[in-house]
Amino acid sequence: MKASAAAQRMLLDLADLDAEIAKTAHGRKNLPEDAELADLATRLDAAREDVASSRVAVDDLATVYEKFERELAGMTEHVARDKASIDAGTVGHKAVAELQRELESLERRRDDLEGEMLELMEQQEATATEADRAEATLLTLTENELELVAKRDKSAAAVDARATDLAERRAALTASIDADLVGIYEGLRGRGQVGAGLVQARRCGACRMELDPRTLSRIAAADEDEVLRCEECGAIMVRTNHSGLPGQGRPE
């Protein structure tokens, strides 16, 4: 196949563009903000669990405290009734003795219950403080997430704009190169191979395979419009004044 030397050299520009496009696509899929958001999502899940568990703990303690209050209220009413019966003198001596023993027992239990309620109140205060801390942490992380999403979207927009620019430049460049030459290049890329590489320092620029003297002599003797392919990787081997081929002078 024949193609002008200038057209072949343009394949190097195309290869550079494709490398930049691939780099940009990789960057788009691996934005640093996405990694930060993934880490933040884990922390948010943990914060939500902390908030949920702390709220359950607060509600559980409130339920226990309400139970204690009802028990204390009932006990206070019972004590009042017993005292009223004793003070009224409407019960016999034996019944009075039993009521007094019951009062003593009720008052001891009331004292114990009041002590338990005091301890419970301290637990409620500590648990409420922990719940407030958990909710504050969740709020901060949620605000961080919103800020990071905005930052990620801005970065993504910049990368997308870069990708669009590269795609437009690539389309313009391929349109200016011989279609058959581009077809070979694209066919190689479609198979996951490098389409073209500069022959330099006795190596194929696509696969970096060192070329033997016979191959180098054959390349040097070929017409400049001859499209040469690497025997190792199949890539189009582009020659320039910097290729260092036999017979070429030292590049200026």
Side-chain angles (χ1 to χ4, degrees), residues 1-245:
M1 178 180 172
K2 300 283 187 178
S4 69
Q8 293 186 53
R9 286 194 293 270
M10 290 170 71
L11 289 180
L12 297 178
D13 295 331
L14 184 57
D16 288 342
L17 267 178
D18 283 334
E20 189 61 29
I21 288 171
K23 180 180 177 181
T24 301
H26 177 78
R28 181 63 177 84
K29 292 179 180 179
N30 297 275
L31 292 172
E33 292 86 357
D34 281 330
E36 292 179 49
L37 280 168
D39 176 66
L40 188 56
T42 300
R43 294 165 60 195
L44 275 166
D45 287 342
R48 292 187 186 101
E49 290 180 6
D50 286 346
V51 169
S53 61
S54 64
R55 285 173 178 166
V56 168
V58 168
D59 291 343
D60 287 346
L61 289 174
T63 299
V64 173
Y65 191 83
E66 289 170 2
K67 178 183 176 182
F68 281 180
E69 281 187 322
R70 288 193 299 270
E71 184 180 353
L72 183 60
M75 200 175 299
T76 300
E77 291 175 2
H78 198 160
V79 168
R81 285 197 305 269
D82 285 352
K83 285 184 176 181
S85 296
I86 294 172
D87 293 342
T90 56
V91 294
H93 178 72
K94 185 177 180 179
V96 169
E98 290 178 356
L99 286 173
Q100 287 176 336
R101 283 194 297 271
E102 185 178 32
L103 279 171
E104 291 173 0
S105 176
L106 287 171
E107 288 175 349
R108 283 196 301 270
R109 173 54 186 153
R110 185 172 62 181
D111 290 342
D112 291 342
L113 188 57
E114 288 175 345
E116 292 175 14
M117 291 179 70
L118 182 60
E119 291 179 3
L120 187 60
M121 289 173 63
E122 292 174 352
Q123 292 180 39
Q124 284 180 301
E125 183 178 354
T127 303
T129 299
E130 179 60 23
D132 290 343
R133 182 206 61 77
E135 291 179 354
T137 297
L138 179 58
L139 177 60
T140 298
L141 290 176
T142 301
E143 291 172 348
N144 290 345
E145 183 183 40
L146 292 173
E147 293 173 359
L148 195 52
V149 166
K151 182 180 177 183
R152 188 274 312 276
D153 291 347
K154 183 177 180 180
S155 295
V159 175
D160 290 342
R162 170 69 173 163
T164 299
D165 176 65
L166 290 171
E168 291 174 352
R169 288 165 56 188
R170 187 185 195 281
L173 182 59
T174 54
S176 65
I177 305 174
D178 180 87
D180 291 336
L181 189 61
V182 171
I184 296 173
Y185 175 89
E186 297 287 28
L188 288 165
R189 289 187 67 250
R191 295 193 293 273
Q193 298 169 257
V194 179
L198 173 66
V199 176
Q200 191 174 33
R202 298 186 301 175
R203 292 182 183 276
C204 165
C207 64
R208 307 306 301 165
M209 183 71 177
E210 186 171 355
L211 305 172
D212 59 59
R214 180 185 61 81
T215 300
L216 287 170
S217 296
R218 177 177 63 83
I219 294 172
D223 292 339
E224 68 171 13
D225 62 352
E226 184 73 28
V227 177
L228 303 176
R229 307 280 295 277
C230 175
E231 295 177 356
E232 181 67 23
C233 67
I236 297 170
M237 295 191 295
V238 181
R239 296 156 285 164
T240 70
N241 291 335
H242 298 275
S243 291
L245 295 171

